[in-house]
Short mmCIF file of all heavy atoms in Angstrom, two decimals:
data_model
loop_
_atom_site.label_atom_id
_atom_site.label_comp_id
_atom_site.label_asym_id
_atom_site.label_seq_id
_atom_site.Cartn_x
_atom_site.Cartn_y
_atom_site.Cartn_z
N LYS A 13 11.48 -21.20 25.40
CA LYS A 13 10.93 -20.16 26.42
C LYS A 13 11.55 -18.79 26.12
O LYS A 13 10.84 -17.79 26.13
CB LYS A 13 11.17 -20.67 27.73
CG LYS A 13 10.15 -21.75 28.18
CD LYS A 13 10.33 -22.13 29.67
CE LYS A 13 9.37 -23.22 30.16
NZ LYS A 13 9.49 -23.56 31.51
N ASN A 14 12.94 -18.78 26.04
CA ASN A 14 13.49 -17.46 25.89
C ASN A 14 13.05 -16.80 24.51
O ASN A 14 12.97 -15.57 24.49
CB ASN A 14 14.99 -17.61 25.86
CG ASN A 14 15.52 -17.93 27.19
OD1 ASN A 14 14.93 -17.60 28.24
ND2 ASN A 14 16.76 -18.54 27.33
N ARG A 15 12.99 -17.62 23.47
CA ARG A 15 12.44 -17.02 22.18
C ARG A 15 11.05 -16.59 22.34
O ARG A 15 10.70 -15.40 21.86
CB ARG A 15 12.60 -18.13 21.05
CG ARG A 15 12.41 -17.48 19.78
CD ARG A 15 12.87 -18.37 18.58
NE ARG A 15 12.07 -19.53 18.51
CZ ARG A 15 12.60 -20.82 18.67
NH1 ARG A 15 13.95 -20.95 19.01
NH2 ARG A 15 11.86 -21.89 18.67
N ASN A 16 10.13 -17.19 23.00
CA ASN A 16 8.86 -16.72 23.21
C ASN A 16 8.88 -15.42 23.93
O ASN A 16 8.00 -14.52 23.69
CB ASN A 16 8.00 -17.75 24.04
CG ASN A 16 7.59 -18.95 23.30
OD1 ASN A 16 7.71 -18.92 22.04
ND2 ASN A 16 7.09 -20.05 23.88
N ASN A 17 9.63 -15.22 24.98
CA ASN A 17 9.77 -14.06 25.74
C ASN A 17 10.21 -12.85 24.87
O ASN A 17 9.78 -11.84 24.87
CB ASN A 17 10.83 -14.09 26.88
CG ASN A 17 10.25 -15.10 27.96
OD1 ASN A 17 9.12 -15.34 28.04
ND2 ASN A 17 11.24 -15.53 28.76
N GLU A 18 11.07 -13.21 23.91
CA GLU A 18 11.64 -12.19 22.93
C GLU A 18 10.41 -11.77 21.97
O GLU A 18 10.30 -10.55 21.65
CB GLU A 18 12.79 -12.69 22.12
CG GLU A 18 14.08 -12.79 22.94
CD GLU A 18 14.46 -11.35 23.37
OE1 GLU A 18 14.48 -10.44 22.52
OE2 GLU A 18 14.80 -11.21 24.52
N ILE A 19 9.67 -12.83 21.52
CA ILE A 19 8.50 -12.48 20.67
C ILE A 19 7.45 -11.46 21.42
O ILE A 19 7.09 -10.56 20.83
CB ILE A 19 7.81 -13.72 20.25
CG1 ILE A 19 8.73 -14.64 19.42
CG2 ILE A 19 6.44 -13.47 19.54
CD1 ILE A 19 8.19 -16.07 19.16
N LEU A 20 7.25 -11.76 22.65
CA LEU A 20 6.25 -10.99 23.30
C LEU A 20 6.88 -9.55 23.67
O LEU A 20 6.20 -8.60 23.61
CB LEU A 20 5.96 -11.69 24.59
CG LEU A 20 5.10 -12.92 24.54
CD1 LEU A 20 4.99 -13.60 25.82
CD2 LEU A 20 3.63 -12.58 23.88
N LYS A 21 8.17 -9.51 23.84
CA LYS A 21 8.79 -8.16 24.03
C LYS A 21 8.87 -7.32 22.78
O LYS A 21 8.49 -6.15 22.85
CB LYS A 21 10.24 -8.47 24.43
CG LYS A 21 11.00 -7.22 24.89
CD LYS A 21 12.43 -7.54 25.39
CE LYS A 21 13.24 -6.33 25.67
NZ LYS A 21 14.63 -6.59 26.09
N ILE A 22 9.00 -8.03 21.63
CA ILE A 22 8.84 -7.21 20.31
C ILE A 22 7.48 -6.84 20.15
O ILE A 22 7.24 -5.69 19.67
CB ILE A 22 9.42 -8.14 19.20
CG1 ILE A 22 11.01 -8.38 19.36
CG2 ILE A 22 9.09 -7.48 17.82
CD1 ILE A 22 11.44 -9.48 18.56
N LEU A 23 6.48 -7.71 20.35
CA LEU A 23 5.16 -7.32 20.13
C LEU A 23 4.65 -6.19 21.07
O LEU A 23 3.61 -5.47 20.81
CB LEU A 23 4.25 -8.49 20.24
CG LEU A 23 4.21 -9.38 19.09
CD1 LEU A 23 3.45 -10.78 19.31
CD2 LEU A 23 3.56 -8.67 17.83
N SER A 24 5.15 -6.31 22.29
CA SER A 24 4.79 -5.17 23.22
C SER A 24 5.17 -3.84 22.73
O SER A 24 4.52 -2.79 22.98
CB SER A 24 5.56 -5.39 24.57
OG SER A 24 4.90 -6.49 25.21
N ASP A 25 6.31 -3.80 21.87
CA ASP A 25 6.70 -2.51 21.28
C ASP A 25 6.03 -2.22 19.94
O ASP A 25 5.62 -1.13 19.63
CB ASP A 25 8.29 -2.59 21.08
CG ASP A 25 8.85 -1.32 20.57
OD1 ASP A 25 8.49 -0.25 21.04
OD2 ASP A 25 9.55 -1.49 19.68
N LYS A 26 5.93 -3.29 19.20
CA LYS A 26 5.43 -3.04 17.82
C LYS A 26 3.96 -3.18 17.61
O LYS A 26 3.38 -2.59 16.64
CB LYS A 26 6.13 -4.10 16.78
CG LYS A 26 7.68 -4.02 16.84
CD LYS A 26 8.16 -2.82 16.12
CE LYS A 26 9.70 -2.91 15.95
NZ LYS A 26 10.25 -1.70 15.37
N LYS A 27 3.32 -3.96 18.61
CA LYS A 27 1.88 -4.27 18.41
C LYS A 27 1.53 -5.23 17.31
O LYS A 27 0.72 -6.14 17.54
CB LYS A 27 1.01 -3.08 18.42
CG LYS A 27 1.39 -1.90 19.32
CD LYS A 27 1.32 -2.36 20.74
CE LYS A 27 1.70 -1.25 21.68
NZ LYS A 27 1.94 -1.63 23.08
N LYS A 28 2.11 -5.10 16.16
CA LYS A 28 1.82 -6.02 15.01
C LYS A 28 3.10 -6.15 14.21
O LYS A 28 3.72 -5.13 13.90
CB LYS A 28 0.74 -5.46 14.10
CG LYS A 28 0.40 -6.34 13.00
CD LYS A 28 -0.87 -5.72 12.22
CE LYS A 28 -1.19 -6.55 10.99
NZ LYS A 28 -2.38 -5.96 10.23
N ILE A 29 3.44 -7.24 13.74
CA ILE A 29 4.65 -7.51 12.98
C ILE A 29 4.46 -8.81 12.05
O ILE A 29 3.79 -9.74 12.48
CB ILE A 29 5.93 -7.75 13.94
CG1 ILE A 29 7.16 -7.64 13.12
CG2 ILE A 29 5.79 -9.09 14.80
CD1 ILE A 29 8.49 -7.60 13.99
N GLY A 30 5.21 -8.76 10.99
CA GLY A 30 5.12 -9.90 10.00
C GLY A 30 5.88 -11.03 10.47
O GLY A 30 6.90 -10.84 11.11
N VAL A 31 5.45 -12.20 10.16
CA VAL A 31 6.10 -13.52 10.52
C VAL A 31 7.59 -13.58 9.85
O VAL A 31 8.51 -13.85 10.51
CB VAL A 31 5.34 -14.74 9.96
CG1 VAL A 31 6.09 -15.98 10.27
CG2 VAL A 31 4.09 -14.84 10.77
N LYS A 32 7.62 -13.02 8.60
CA LYS A 32 8.93 -13.03 7.95
C LYS A 32 9.88 -12.15 8.67
O LYS A 32 11.10 -12.48 8.99
CB LYS A 32 8.75 -12.50 6.41
CG LYS A 32 10.15 -12.54 5.65
CD LYS A 32 9.85 -12.12 4.26
CE LYS A 32 11.20 -12.04 3.55
NZ LYS A 32 11.03 -11.51 2.08
N LYS A 33 9.46 -10.94 8.96
CA LYS A 33 10.31 -9.97 9.64
C LYS A 33 10.75 -10.39 11.15
O LYS A 33 11.89 -10.39 11.51
CB LYS A 33 9.49 -8.60 9.86
CG LYS A 33 10.32 -7.49 10.58
CD LYS A 33 11.46 -7.13 9.74
CE LYS A 33 12.16 -5.80 10.38
NZ LYS A 33 13.48 -5.41 9.68
N LEU A 34 9.66 -11.04 11.82
CA LEU A 34 9.98 -11.63 13.10
C LEU A 34 11.00 -12.77 13.02
O LEU A 34 12.02 -12.88 13.97
CB LEU A 34 8.72 -12.09 13.69
CG LEU A 34 8.69 -12.28 15.23
CD1 LEU A 34 9.12 -11.05 16.01
CD2 LEU A 34 7.24 -12.63 15.67
N SER A 35 10.95 -13.64 12.05
CA SER A 35 11.90 -14.65 11.89
C SER A 35 13.25 -14.20 11.59
O SER A 35 14.30 -14.68 12.05
CB SER A 35 11.49 -15.69 10.81
OG SER A 35 11.46 -15.09 9.61
N GLU A 36 13.46 -13.01 10.90
CA GLU A 36 14.70 -12.48 10.57
C GLU A 36 15.30 -11.91 11.79
O GLU A 36 16.46 -12.01 12.10
CB GLU A 36 14.56 -11.36 9.53
CG GLU A 36 14.20 -11.88 8.11
CD GLU A 36 13.86 -10.79 7.15
OE1 GLU A 36 13.76 -9.59 7.61
OE2 GLU A 36 13.64 -11.03 5.91
N ILE A 37 14.51 -11.17 12.67
CA ILE A 37 15.07 -10.56 13.78
C ILE A 37 15.58 -11.56 14.83
O ILE A 37 16.62 -11.42 15.51
CB ILE A 37 13.86 -9.63 14.55
CG1 ILE A 37 13.48 -8.51 13.71
CG2 ILE A 37 14.36 -9.28 15.94
CD1 ILE A 37 12.29 -7.82 14.22
N LEU A 38 14.86 -12.78 14.96
CA LEU A 38 15.20 -13.73 15.95
C LEU A 38 16.17 -14.80 15.34
O LEU A 38 16.54 -15.71 16.11
CB LEU A 38 13.99 -14.36 16.45
CG LEU A 38 13.06 -13.32 17.28
CD1 LEU A 38 11.82 -14.07 17.72
CD2 LEU A 38 13.81 -12.81 18.45
N GLY A 39 16.41 -14.88 14.04
CA GLY A 39 17.39 -15.71 13.42
C GLY A 39 16.93 -17.16 13.50
O GLY A 39 17.58 -18.06 13.54
N VAL A 40 15.56 -17.27 13.07
CA VAL A 40 15.02 -18.73 12.91
C VAL A 40 14.17 -18.76 11.70
O VAL A 40 13.95 -17.82 10.96
CB VAL A 40 14.05 -19.15 14.08
CG1 VAL A 40 14.85 -19.14 15.42
CG2 VAL A 40 12.93 -18.21 14.29
N SER A 41 13.86 -20.06 11.20
CA SER A 41 13.19 -20.12 9.95
C SER A 41 11.69 -19.68 10.18
O SER A 41 11.23 -19.59 11.30
CB SER A 41 13.09 -21.63 9.52
OG SER A 41 12.24 -22.42 10.44
N GLN A 42 10.94 -19.42 9.09
CA GLN A 42 9.52 -19.02 9.20
C GLN A 42 8.74 -20.14 9.60
O GLN A 42 7.73 -19.91 10.31
CB GLN A 42 9.10 -18.44 7.88
CG GLN A 42 9.63 -17.14 7.39
CD GLN A 42 9.11 -16.60 6.18
OE1 GLN A 42 7.93 -16.57 6.09
NE2 GLN A 42 9.89 -16.15 5.21
N VAL A 43 9.09 -21.37 9.32
CA VAL A 43 8.40 -22.56 9.84
C VAL A 43 8.44 -22.66 11.31
O VAL A 43 7.50 -22.84 12.03
CB VAL A 43 8.94 -23.90 9.18
CG1 VAL A 43 8.31 -25.11 9.83
CG2 VAL A 43 8.73 -23.89 7.65
N THR A 44 9.62 -22.39 11.89
CA THR A 44 9.85 -22.45 13.39
C THR A 44 9.12 -21.25 13.96
O THR A 44 8.37 -21.41 15.14
CB THR A 44 11.37 -22.26 13.74
OG1 THR A 44 12.10 -23.50 13.23
CG2 THR A 44 11.52 -22.21 15.23
N MET A 45 9.16 -20.12 13.37
CA MET A 45 8.35 -18.96 13.80
C MET A 45 6.87 -19.20 13.87
O MET A 45 6.25 -18.88 14.89
CB MET A 45 8.82 -17.67 13.05
CG MET A 45 8.18 -16.48 13.70
SD MET A 45 8.56 -16.16 15.44
CE MET A 45 10.38 -16.20 15.30
N ARG A 46 6.39 -19.85 12.94
CA ARG A 46 4.95 -20.02 12.86
C ARG A 46 4.60 -21.05 13.93
O ARG A 46 3.54 -20.84 14.67
CB ARG A 46 4.55 -20.59 11.47
CG ARG A 46 4.44 -19.66 10.33
CD ARG A 46 3.86 -20.04 9.12
NE ARG A 46 4.11 -19.23 7.95
CZ ARG A 46 5.12 -19.49 7.07
NH1 ARG A 46 5.91 -20.43 7.16
NH2 ARG A 46 5.28 -18.60 6.00
N LYS A 47 5.39 -21.94 14.30
CA LYS A 47 5.10 -22.97 15.26
C LYS A 47 5.14 -22.14 16.69
O LYS A 47 4.27 -22.46 17.59
CB LYS A 47 6.09 -23.96 15.34
CG LYS A 47 5.96 -25.05 14.21
CD LYS A 47 7.06 -26.20 14.40
CE LYS A 47 6.99 -27.07 13.20
NZ LYS A 47 7.94 -28.17 13.13
N ASP A 48 6.01 -21.40 16.91
CA ASP A 48 6.14 -20.57 18.06
C ASP A 48 5.00 -19.65 18.27
O ASP A 48 4.32 -19.56 19.42
CB ASP A 48 7.50 -19.66 18.12
CG ASP A 48 8.67 -20.44 18.23
OD1 ASP A 48 8.59 -21.70 18.58
OD2 ASP A 48 9.79 -19.73 18.11
N LEU A 49 4.51 -18.91 17.26
CA LEU A 49 3.34 -18.06 17.26
C LEU A 49 2.14 -18.81 17.47
O LEU A 49 1.12 -18.46 18.17
CB LEU A 49 3.29 -17.27 15.95
CG LEU A 49 4.41 -16.25 15.70
CD1 LEU A 49 4.23 -15.59 14.45
CD2 LEU A 49 4.53 -15.16 16.89
N ASP A 50 1.96 -19.97 16.84
CA ASP A 50 0.80 -20.89 17.04
C ASP A 50 0.61 -21.20 18.53
O ASP A 50 -0.31 -21.21 19.11
CB ASP A 50 0.80 -22.10 16.15
CG ASP A 50 0.54 -21.85 14.78
OD1 ASP A 50 0.03 -20.69 14.39
OD2 ASP A 50 0.77 -22.74 13.93
N ALA A 51 1.87 -21.60 19.19
CA ALA A 51 1.80 -21.93 20.59
C ALA A 51 1.42 -20.81 21.48
O ALA A 51 0.53 -20.94 22.38
CB ALA A 51 3.18 -22.45 20.99
N LEU A 52 1.95 -19.53 21.21
CA LEU A 52 1.51 -18.38 21.95
C LEU A 52 -0.04 -18.05 21.73
O LEU A 52 -0.62 -17.65 22.59
CB LEU A 52 2.38 -17.17 21.49
CG LEU A 52 3.85 -17.24 21.90
CD1 LEU A 52 4.66 -16.22 21.30
CD2 LEU A 52 4.06 -17.14 23.54
N SER A 53 -0.41 -18.21 20.59
CA SER A 53 -1.84 -18.05 20.17
C SER A 53 -2.73 -19.04 21.05
O SER A 53 -3.82 -18.58 21.61
CB SER A 53 -2.13 -18.17 18.71
OG SER A 53 -3.46 -17.95 18.52
N GLU A 54 -2.31 -20.27 21.12
CA GLU A 54 -3.10 -21.27 21.89
C GLU A 54 -3.20 -20.87 23.35
O GLU A 54 -4.11 -21.21 24.02
CB GLU A 54 -2.48 -22.59 21.62
CG GLU A 54 -2.79 -23.28 20.21
CD GLU A 54 -1.94 -24.48 20.06
OE1 GLU A 54 -1.34 -25.05 21.15
OE2 GLU A 54 -2.01 -25.04 18.89
N ARG A 55 -2.05 -20.31 23.81
CA ARG A 55 -2.08 -19.80 25.30
C ARG A 55 -2.88 -18.52 25.55
O ARG A 55 -3.00 -18.00 26.53
CB ARG A 55 -0.66 -19.67 25.78
CG ARG A 55 0.05 -21.09 25.97
CD ARG A 55 1.56 -20.77 26.09
NE ARG A 55 1.88 -19.97 27.16
CZ ARG A 55 3.13 -19.45 27.40
NH1 ARG A 55 4.17 -19.73 26.58
NH2 ARG A 55 3.33 -18.65 28.46
N GLY A 56 -3.37 -17.92 24.31
CA GLY A 56 -4.17 -16.74 24.43
C GLY A 56 -3.31 -15.46 24.61
O GLY A 56 -3.94 -14.58 25.05
N LEU A 57 -2.11 -15.43 24.33
CA LEU A 57 -1.20 -14.32 24.43
C LEU A 57 -1.20 -13.45 23.34
O LEU A 57 -0.90 -12.23 23.39
CB LEU A 57 0.15 -14.78 24.89
CG LEU A 57 0.37 -15.61 26.13
CD1 LEU A 57 1.82 -16.01 26.36
CD2 LEU A 57 -0.18 -14.75 27.33
N ILE A 58 -1.43 -13.95 22.12
CA ILE A 58 -1.35 -13.12 20.88
C ILE A 58 -2.51 -13.54 19.91
O ILE A 58 -3.11 -14.60 20.11
CB ILE A 58 0.07 -13.36 20.19
CG1 ILE A 58 0.20 -14.79 19.59
CG2 ILE A 58 1.14 -12.96 21.03
CD1 ILE A 58 1.31 -14.84 18.59
N ILE A 59 -2.64 -12.83 18.87
CA ILE A 59 -3.69 -13.07 17.80
C ILE A 59 -2.84 -13.41 16.51
O ILE A 59 -1.84 -12.60 16.17
CB ILE A 59 -4.60 -11.84 17.52
CG1 ILE A 59 -5.41 -11.64 18.82
CG2 ILE A 59 -5.50 -12.14 16.35
CD1 ILE A 59 -6.19 -10.23 18.68
N ARG A 60 -3.19 -14.47 15.85
CA ARG A 60 -2.55 -14.74 14.62
C ARG A 60 -3.40 -14.44 13.40
O ARG A 60 -4.59 -14.78 13.41
CB ARG A 60 -2.22 -16.34 14.48
CG ARG A 60 -1.23 -16.72 15.52
CD ARG A 60 0.29 -16.51 14.90
NE ARG A 60 0.65 -17.55 13.96
CZ ARG A 60 0.89 -17.42 12.70
NH1 ARG A 60 0.67 -16.12 12.25
NH2 ARG A 60 1.13 -18.39 11.89
#
């Protein structure tokens, strides 16, 4: 949940960001980041 909040906070500022860059900022693998982004997309919060 905290990581999701950080993702949304970053997107509120950047509007658009690459998965690789986002995974580097948050210190997780790109596989984990894609799963997080898919979950946020399913909730209607972001566009993938």
